[in-house]
Amino acid sequence: MTDNNFNYDSFVRNPPNPLDIDNLSLQDSLFSSTSLTSLPRNSFNISSFNINGLKMFSHNKIELLNNFFSLKQISFGDVVDTHLHPKQMHFLSKRLSNYTVFSSVLDTFQHIRSSGGPACARQLKRQVRRIFSFDSVTPSQWDDFSVHIDTLCSISPTIFASWHINRMCEYLHANIIAGANAILPARTVGNDHIPKLPKDLETLIQHYRFLNRVVHSIKLLRKHPHTLSSSYDQKWSGYLPQLNNIFYMYKSTFPAVPTLPSSLFSCRTDNFNNLFQTLSHASKLLRGLHLLKEKEFQDSSIKAHLESRDQNFDTDISSFINSALFRSHHRIMLDRVFMDHPTTPQLLTDPKDVSDAVINHFQHAVPIKSTPPSHISALPDRWRSEYSPMATVSPDIYSSLLSPPSLEEWLSTVSSMPNGEAPGPSMITYEMLKHLGLITNSLLLILVRKCFASADIPDLWRQAMIFPIPKPHEWRCQLKNTRPITLLEVIQKSFVKLFYNRLSAILATHNVLKGGNFAGLPGGTCRDLLLLLNLLFTMPITIIPLFGFFHKTSPKHLTQLILLC
């Protein structure tokens, strides 16, 4: 008999212990013909749930639901409720045959139907990426990386040079990433963080749960001995090796390793009492070991975090301050977008709709209010003279700007790029470029030279990844509460850096930019401007009356005023 009369709010705040065998019903017996053993391992059926789309922190709960689905073989017939914890759903699937739908006026429903087997809503699929652990790469691994990529790039330079730059770029990208995946250590990360238990503790929990199910099944046999059949005994012979394996694995926990009967029919004489007491005692001992191991893991985790905080005090003071003040990083998940329209607000959950909304938002986040002029002559008089060619500067000084770079110039540019930078869409990093072999570098140089000669770049270099970074306030599923960061291809950035090095050297050598009309040129400095600012703010106001104006001016406006002088 099912129980549909319970306090839902109390249930959500205080979910039941999923390991409590008293909450299991007759259908949960491992010997029952309707038990879960007829389904794939760790599976069950959910009859009805609902999606509460705009619950607070619902993106975290969606991730919990997704993780749960990825571990279980779930068949469900109606709608998924995203604000339930997995163990709450597990409990409901045992107790309620028809889970009452809890909805609100803000619910957005997406019905998901499955005929059985693995089921997971598409919008709940997490995006993962591969992160290379460069700190742990050994010199020998870098050598193997260089040799492996040179082996992959076995094409003739003459044939390679005849290709279009798009094909050349795709060939190099594919081989560099293939070499990195084959040689370099890496890990796969997702958009969420799930604390992981040690492997031995996870195994212990699984064994304890299985033993609990067996205890419950024997308890049901004591209550209903007439249900014993040959199929029960056949299933018991399958569970017996697993139980003996558990007892052997944790034999130090038991005073004496329990001895189990080979057949359930031999236990009918005492109505399964001896078997039940043996398994119950083993379950209690395993439960004690579980609590002990869990406490040890908690203590070691706390100790490790304290040691990490102490180390950060010497090596990373910013992380130490964040930890000491309990600051947490704001994270968002673009599994839904709320369109805050004044008359027709809408919550988008379909992956394609979310993607289109994100692209449209960032394409128009900074609107272009005017059309650039087609020619200098179309500019106002004030700006036409500023953008007209300078009579004192000869165009010949730029003649070497687009000349083909040498291998030494290219390698010098790549070596000057910083490590630890986030890669672009191809996931190629500066560390990889710095450890390419001679053959691969020669092919890459051919591509760079062709880009200079054609004044064009491959299409892959025109692509970028945009990561929405949350602003300090609440995310609320609104894109206006984010600011984007754009990640470009590192080969393209190295190419632009080479061009900038040439251009900046020309501008500095020939004094093209004069006065304060420059930024970042070789030999340039902001020292004089900073000294002037410091002088203006430290001198007494009574020396020159004009300085009183400076003291009342904000540093930002004062800096702009000095630059205009």
Side-chain angles (χ1 to χ4, degrees):
M1 180 176 181
T2 59
D3 179 17
N4 289 315
N5 299 318
F6 68 99
N7 190 308
Y8 176 73
D9 292 332
S10 176
F11 168 77
V12 170
R13 293 187 179 90
N14 303 290
N17 184 357
L19 302 179
D20 187 0
I21 63 173
D22 292 332
N23 289 332
L24 301 177
S25 61
L26 179 61
Q27 288 75 20
D28 298 312
S29 171
L30 290 176
F31 306 121
S32 172
S33 60
T34 60
S35 69
L36 300 181
T37 56
S38 60
L39 298 175
R41 185 182 179 186
N42 293 334
S43 65
F44 60 93
N45 183 44
I46 303 176
S47 57
S48 178
F49 287 88
N50 98 318
I51 294 178
N52 195 332
L54 295 182
K55 282 278 185 179
M56 184 66 71
F57 307 118
S58 58
H59 55 282
N60 293 333
K61 292 160 186 176
I62 284 180
E63 278 304 300
L64 289 173
L65 184 63
N66 181 35
N67 300 333
F68 189 56
F69 284 176
S70 64
L71 296 176
K72 310 287 184 182
Q73 302 291 332
I74 299 177
S75 172
F76 53 98
D78 205 329
V79 187
V80 177
D81 185 340
T82 62
H83 64 277
L84 288 182
H85 191 278
K87 63 182 181 181
Q88 298 163 358
M89 293 192 300
H90 187 83
F91 174 78
L92 284 175
S93 68
K94 306 295 182 189
R95 294 292 297 274
L96 306 179
S97 62
N98 185 17
Y99 167 40
T100 304
V101 175
F102 298 89
S103 60
S104 68
V105 295
L106 296 179
D107 284 348
T108 297
F109 295 95
Q110 167 133 4
H111 293 267
I112 309 164
R113 302 196 177 272
S114 173
S115 58
C120 180
R122 290 183 179 180
Q123 67 266 29
L124 300 183
K125 291 184 178 179
R126 292 177 295 161
Q127 298 294 326
V128 297
R129 59 188 184 277
R130 191 177 179 87
I131 301 297
F132 294 96
S133 306
F134 294 113
D135 293 339
S136 60
V137 180
T138 62
S140 61
Q141 286 178 317
W142 280 125
D143 294 339
D144 295 341
F145 170 76
S146 303
V147 172
H148 187 73
I149 294 183
D150 280 350
T151 304
L152 295 176
C153 297
S154 57
I155 189 172
S156 168
T158 305
I159 298 177
F160 184 78
S162 64
W163 289 354
H164 188 271
I165 57 174
N166 286 340
R167 186 179 179 185
M168 298 166 70
C169 182
E170 293 171 1
Y171 179 84
L172 290 173
H173 278 203
N175 287 329
I176 292 175
I177 288 299
N181 290 334
I183 304 298
L184 302 181
R187 67 183 188 278
T188 301
V189 299
N191 296 327
D192 66 333
H193 171 70
I194 305 174
K196 294 183 178 180
L197 297 174
K199 188 64 178 179
D200 58 341
L201 183 55
E202 288 184 352
T203 304
L204 175 59
I205 294 175
Q206 293 174 4
H207 289 162
Y208 172 63
R209 288 177 175 174
F210 172 73
L211 183 56
N212 257 1
R213 293 293 302 277
V214 176
V215 172
H216 171 68
S217 302
I218 300 300
K219 182 179 180 180
L220 292 177
L221 276 178
R222 294 176 65 203
K223 294 182 178 179
H224 311 280
H226 62 278
T227 60
L228 178 62
S229 64
S230 58
S231 62
Y232 280 37
D233 199 57
Q234 184 179 0
K235 291 181 179 181
W236 169 257
S237 63
Y239 301 142
L240 192 58
Q242 301 181 45
L243 292 171
N244 289 330
N245 180 56
I246 292 175
F247 295 153
Y248 177 79
M249 183 178 297
Y250 306 105
K251 58 183 179 181
S252 60
T253 306
F254 305 106
V257 177
T259 302
L260 301 178
S262 59
S263 174
L264 290 177
F265 287 102
S266 62
C267 302
R268 288 191 299 181
T269 55
D270 65 344
N271 195 25
F272 307 96
N273 286 332
N274 185 47
L275 178 58
F276 177 75
Q277 292 175 3
T278 300
L279 294 177
S280 297
H281 182 63
S283 176
K284 293 177 181 178
L285 293 177
L286 214 58
R287 171 63 173 171
L289 179 62
H290 165 233
L291 295 176
L292 178 63
K293 293 293 184 181
E294 191 174 48
K295 184 64 168 62
E296 290 178 353
F297 171 66
Q298 293 176 352
D299 293 342
S300 62
S301 299
I302 294 174
K303 183 178 179 181
H305 282 84
L306 290 176
E307 292 176 352
S308 176
R309 178 184 291 186
D310 293 341
Q311 184 179 4
N312 287 336
F313 183 78
D314 298 324
T315 60
D316 191 351
I317 192 64
S318 176
S319 298
F320 170 80
I321 295 176
N322 291 336
S323 176
L325 298 180
F326 299 99
R327 293 175 180 172
S328 60
H329 294 287
H330 294 280
R331 295 180 177 88
I332 62 174
M333 180 173 296
L334 283 178
D335 59 347
R336 60 188 61 195
V337 171
F338 180 65
M339 310 299 293
D340 191 13
H341 194 274
T343 57
T344 57
Q346 185 181 12
L347 179 68
L348 306 178
T349 58
D350 184 82
K352 186 179 184 305
D353 295 339
V354 172
S355 177
D356 293 342
V358 172
I359 293 174
N360 180 72
H361 172 80
F362 288 115
Q363 283 181 341
H364 301 88
V366 183
I368 301 177
K369 298 182 180 180
S370 59
T371 303
S374 57
H375 192 265
I376 294 179
S377 60
L379 289 172
D381 295 339
R382 177 184 177 185
W383 297 108
R384 188 182 306 124
S385 60
E386 297 294 335
Y387 285 92
S388 298
M390 301 172 62
T392 57
V393 178
S394 172
D396 296 336
I397 64 175
Y398 303 106
S399 58
S400 62
L401 192 58
L402 295 178
S403 60
S406 63
L407 181 60
E408 292 74 18
E409 184 182 12
W410 171 250
L411 294 179
S412 175
T413 303
V414 171
S415 64
S416 67
M417 305 304 285
N419 292 332
E421 295 293 312
S426 70
M427 302 307 293
I428 297 176
T429 63
Y430 288 124
E431 289 87 348
M432 298 179 190
L433 293 186
K434 295 176 182 180
H435 292 88
L436 296 180
L438 180 61
I439 296 176
T440 310
N441 271 320
S442 300
L443 297 180
L444 185 55
L445 181 63
I446 294 175
L447 171 61
V448 172
R449 286 179 171 178
K450 196 164 187 177
C451 291
F452 270 96
S454 61
D456 195 9
I457 61 173
D459 291 341
L460 289 179
W461 292 3
R462 305 179 193 276
Q463 300 177 8
M465 290 194 301
I466 295 180
F467 283 85
I469 307 299
K471 293 181 179 179
H473 42 270
E474 281 291 335
W475 153 230
R476 299 185 184 278
C477 300
Q478 300 185 43
L479 294 171
K480 66 180 182 180
N481 295 331
T482 66
R483 52 184 178 87
I485 179 173
T486 305
L487 303 180
L488 305 174
E489 288 292 348
V490 296
I491 302 180
Q492 176 210 6
K493 293 163 69 175
S494 301
F495 173 81
V496 174
K497 178 68 174 179
L498 189 151
F499 186 85
Y500 164 77
N501 289 342
R502 290 182 171 187
L503 181 61
S504 61
I506 292 173
L507 296 178
T509 302
H510 298 278
N511 293 322
V512 176
L513 302 179
K514 303 180 183 298
N517 189 23
F518 67 88
L521 293 182
T525 176
C526 298
R527 177 176 177 273
D528 294 339
L529 291 177
L530 293 176
L531 290 176
L532 179 57
L533 281 173
N534 183 67
L535 178 65
L536 293 175
F537 278 102
T538 55
M539 291 183 64
I541 302 179
T542 55
I543 295 181
I544 301 178
L546 181 60
F547 282 175
F549 165 76
F550 289 131
H551 276 275
K552 297 178 182 179
T553 307
S554 66
K556 177 181 177 181
H557 294 159
L558 183 58
T559 304
Q560 295 174 350
L561 179 62
I562 294 175
L563 292 176
L564 293 175
C565 295

